[in-house]
Every structure is written in structure tokens, then in C-alpha cells.
Amino acid sequence: MTAWRRFRGHPPGLIGLGIVLVFVALAVFAPVLSPYDPNAQDLGSAIQGPSAEHWLGTDQLGRDIATRLMYGGRISLLIGVLAVSIGLAVGVPLGILAGYYGGWADLAISRLADMMFAFTSILLALTLVAVLGVSLQNVIIAVGISVIPVIIRLVRSSVLSIREEPYVEAARMLGAGDLRIITRHVFRNALTPVLVHGTLSIGVSILLAAGLGFLGLGVQSPTAEWGTMLGEGRQFIFSAPHLTTFPGVAIFLAILAFNLLGDGLRDALDPRMRSVDRPAG
């Protein structure tokens, strides 16, 4: 409750949470909010501007853009959440092993992370998609793998400091095994930066997936996805700018929302802030 009270006192974080909830609601209730099929073509209504019938206009195949944005939000948000989940599932255990045990484990895992850092995130994702093939599943895997090295570095640095804390030494002197120390003390205290960075990484993952879609290596048409919509509309950027403007705004708002939400969580969960809230005495 203390963390939630601090989060409520962070207006940008609340704005970010609000935008995320709006995107989630639009994605979940898209069939109720829109009467159109996101993939149904109507060439007679192609490339129309915003109107009462089509709030955000139609694309080059006469498909309703607002509908495709709502359904595309399902794919983009799904990619962001699942990709970060993959990164956390792999990166957190490796980071803990490297930071807690050190030695050869730290050396091997750190060198693996360094090798992955040799590629920029988009280049690594492009390479993996080129190897694995173009599909939604492979896009999620590729984006998730690109998140792993950052998670490893973050968790390792946190664990290196946590393992030297007095409470860890006390637990070790009382006979607690490594597994108990890691699960009860190290992991729980390293969780805050992981949660914050995971939230921020969702926005980065959405951007990476959109970049792949824009280049034609992401989710393939006719499936609605923001990056793919952006790529399809670029040839009409001067004659029908709404085809690229609205998907671009959706991507921008999603990334902004998760960044604001991550900043709010960081301030709410920062252990140094907890000490301020404790009454003196």
C-alpha cells in the first residue's frame, strides 16, 4: 500500500498507466467497439480520410484504420509482453548465477552477454528473424532474445551488491544454503529493478517489433500490426498521410506510456524512498 500511495503521487506514472489501460481495453473490446472486420477489403472505399463512417479513414484496400489499430494493438501488446517475459525468464536466472557465484559462471555468462551486445537490438532481431523465418512466433522469440543481455547485466550488477549485504552474510552463517539465500534474499531484493526495467522493455519490444514489421520482416499482412500498417502506408505518405500518421501515433503513445509507467514504478518501489516514509523513532 505504501508503494501504491507513492505511485498515486506520481502524475506521469498515472498518465502512463491510464494510456496502457486504454490500449488494453481497445484491444480486448475491439469486436464490440467496431462493426468492421479488420481484414475485410472494400476497394470502393479505399484511401478515404477520417469521416463519421470511418473515424480514422481507410487504407489502400478500403479497410477501416481504426479497427485495424485496435486489433493491431492485440498483436503489438502481445509481442511486447511475451518478448519481455522471454527475456526475464532467461536473463534473470543467468544474471543471478553470474552475480552470486562469480568465477567461471560469471565469466562465461558475461562473455555471452558481451557477444550479444556486439549487435544493436534491431540488428540482433533482424538477424534472428532472417535465420528463424518470418512469423509472429519468430518475431516474439527474436525480440525476446534481444532483451536478454540487458536483463543479465542489470540483475548481475544488483546481485553483486546484494550478496555482500549483512543479512545475506547472517543467513549464510546460520546455515542457509545457496538456494534458500537466492530465493529468499537475493531474488526478492533484486526484483524491484527487474520489474522497472521489464516495464520499460515492453515499450522497447513494441518498437523493435514495429521496426521489423515496417521492414516487411515482422507480422505479415493481412494481420493487423502497427509496424506492418506503417510500412504498408509509406508509399502513400504524401497523398494519404493518415495511413502512416495514426499507426505512428499509436506506437509513440504505447512507448511513451510504458516509459512513464516504468518511471512511476521506479519511484514507487525505490528502497531509498521507503526509508523516507518510515516514522522516526
Side-chain angles (χ1 to χ4, degrees):
M1 295 303 294
T2 302
W4 171 243
R5 186 168 63 251
R6 281 200 299 268
F7 183 81
R8 286 187 303 174
H10 191 277
L14 290 176
I15 292 173
L17 177 61
I19 296 174
V20 170
L21 292 178
V22 169
F23 274 125
V24 171
L26 290 175
V28 171
F29 297 107
V32 178
L33 296 173
S34 175
Y36 300 104
D37 184 329
N39 299 324
Q41 300 182 16
D42 181 9
L43 297 180
S45 302
I47 313 184
Q48 292 184 358
S51 63
E53 185 177 2
H54 299 284
W55 296 345
L56 301 182
T58 60
D59 65 8
Q60 69 276 15
L61 297 177
R63 299 172 297 192
D64 184 71
I65 292 178
T67 302
R68 287 180 62 78
L69 283 176
M70 287 188 283
Y71 280 90
R74 293 181 173 185
I75 302 298
S76 295
L77 293 173
L78 179 68
I79 291 174
V81 172
L82 292 183
V84 171
S85 299
I86 292 173
L88 293 175
V90 177
V92 170
L94 290 178
I96 290 176
L97 288 175
Y100 185 80
Y101 289 105
W104 66 266
D106 186 17
L107 180 63
I109 294 172
S110 295
R111 294 296 78 78
L112 173 63
D114 290 340
M115 290 173 58
M116 298 176 72
F117 268 120
F119 300 87
T120 60
S121 296
I122 185 63
L123 182 57
L124 180 58
L126 282 170
T127 303
L128 291 170
V129 168
V131 173
L132 297 174
V134 178
S135 69
L136 174 59
Q137 177 182 347
N138 290 340
V139 168
I140 294 173
I141 294 173
V143 176
I145 291 175
S146 69
V147 175
I148 291 174
V150 182
I151 300 295
I152 291 176
R153 283 278 183 88
L154 175 67
V155 175
R156 175 183 176 274
S157 62
S158 296
V159 173
L160 282 173
S161 60
I162 292 171
R163 72 177 185 179
E164 304 298 332
E165 292 290 336
Y167 57 82
V168 174
E169 293 295 333
R172 189 176 291 113
M173 292 179 64
L174 290 173
D178 289 341
L179 181 60
R180 182 177 179 82
I181 292 174
I182 289 173
T183 54
R184 293 291 299 273
H185 300 289
V186 174
F187 175 72
R188 290 175 63 180
N189 286 281
L191 193 59
T192 294
V194 170
L195 288 176
V196 172
H197 187 77
T199 304
L200 296 172
S201 294
I202 294 177
V204 175
S205 298
I206 291 174
L207 180 61
L208 284 176
L212 293 173
F214 180 80
L215 296 173
L217 295 174
V219 178
Q220 298 297 294
S221 187
T223 302
E225 190 270 331
W226 294 339
T228 303
M229 293 174 64
L230 197 62
E232 290 177 342
R234 61 184 169 180
Q235 58 183 315
F236 306 99
I237 191 169
F238 295 110
S239 59
H242 65 281
L243 269 66
T244 53
T245 299
F246 294 124
V249 169
I251 295 169
F252 167 76
L253 288 177
I255 296 170
L256 176 64
F258 282 107
N259 282 331
L260 293 176
L261 179 57
D263 287 342
L265 288 176
R266 180 190 59 200
D267 292 346
L269 299 175
D270 191 340
R272 291 171 296 183
M273 298 297 294
R274 293 197 190 108
S275 62
V276 175
D277 290 337
R278 293 194 188 100

